[in-house]
Amino acid sequence: LPEQYLAARGSDARANLAKSAQQVTTCFDIHETVRDVTCLRDDDDDDDKSSSEPKQIRAMSLLDDIPTNRSCEQIGISMHYCTCELDWTPVRRVGEDTEAVRAADFVVNYVNSLLAPVAHFCHQLKLYELTEARRGSLKGQTYLRLSLVTAPNKGSYEALVKVAYGSDDGHQQQRFQLASPASISRTN
């Protein structure tokens, strides 16, 4: 950025820009920075900076003080793609972990349900291999991050599944749910 602009903006702008280089930022922050530099940004966001509750801000100028504790949810990143929120623990012997295998079957069945309207063009998918599973917990909710391969197409998928536990007639039950509509990605 031009020195003249940074000087006019104040000493905090240079420090904030340097600090932003070491933080989680997105393309939306860069867009907001361009709007800031070209004077297209509304400065109506200065209304309540004293609030202790984190704001749901998807985009912030890199010249502003970006909070170091900004979460993926606040930035608008799906938990499926968030790498910093959860402490993921690898599932050992992934093919033998019944919870992970059942969750992978749930994902394949979900993909088959999406393909149902065009089923006459497609083979029904089956779980070929569960290649990786990681378990994590956030706010008391258990998640499984799965990498799997389907047959007959050898399609590789990644999915994020919520695991809910309940009891039915005294028996422990597991229920699976996609963490969000964007929780399944085809990776090949």
Side-chain angles (χ1 to χ4, degrees):
L1 294 174
E3 284 297 324
Q4 183 178 356
Y5 176 81
L6 288 174
R9 178 76 195 242
S11 62
D12 287 347
R14 183 184 313 285
N16 289 338
L17 186 60
K19 181 179 158 195
S20 296
Q22 304 302 315
Q23 291 183 220
V24 175
T25 57
T26 69
C27 57
F28 298 107
D29 296 326
I30 294 176
H31 179 260
E32 189 65 19
T33 304
V34 170
R35 288 173 46 92
D36 187 6
V37 170
T38 58
C39 303
L40 294 174
R41 184 175 82 157
D42 281 336
D43 283 332
D44 296 340
D45 296 337
D46 297 338
D47 51 0
D48 188 15
K49 299 239 182 202
S50 62
S51 174
S52 62
E53 188 142 335
K55 294 166 96 176
Q56 300 292 326
I57 299 175
R58 183 171 188 157
M60 295 182 73
S61 172
L62 301 176
L63 301 173
D64 290 335
D65 186 19
I66 296 177
T68 57
N69 62 345
R70 196 163 66 148
S71 69
C72 288
E73 181 180 26
Q74 291 169 317
I75 297 172
I77 297 173
S78 167
M79 188 184 242
H80 179 66
Y81 299 107
C82 185
T83 59
C84 55
E85 295 274 325
L86 294 173
D87 185 22
W88 294 102
T89 304
V91 172
R92 300 201 190 284
R93 297 192 307 261
V94 68
E96 298 173 23
D97 186 284
T98 57
E99 181 179 63
V101 171
R102 287 184 59 226
D105 281 331
F106 166 80
V107 170
V108 173
N109 289 334
Y110 181 80
V111 172
N112 281 327
S113 75
L114 294 176
L115 295 173
V118 292
H120 55 285
F121 294 117
C122 306
H123 289 284
Q124 184 164 357
L125 300 178
K126 295 180 176 23
L127 179 62
Y128 176 76
E129 180 182 15
L130 178 58
T131 56
E132 183 180 27
R134 294 180 175 272
R135 191 172 279 116
S137 181
L138 180 66
K139 299 178 184 172
Q141 178 66 58
T142 300
Y143 293 91
L144 285 169
R145 179 174 278 169
L146 307 170
S147 296
L148 56 103
V149 178
T150 58
N153 64 345
K154 300 289 188 201
S156 296
Y157 297 86
E158 289 182 353
L160 184 65
V161 177
K162 284 184 188 179
V163 183
Y165 301 98
S167 111
D168 187 24
D169 296 333
H171 295 95
Q172 181 77 359
Q173 295 285 323
Q174 295 169 322
R175 291 183 184 82
F176 302 107
Q177 177 184 0
L178 292 176
S180 75
S183 289
I184 301 176
S185 299
R186 171 96 186 238
T187 58
N188 69 346

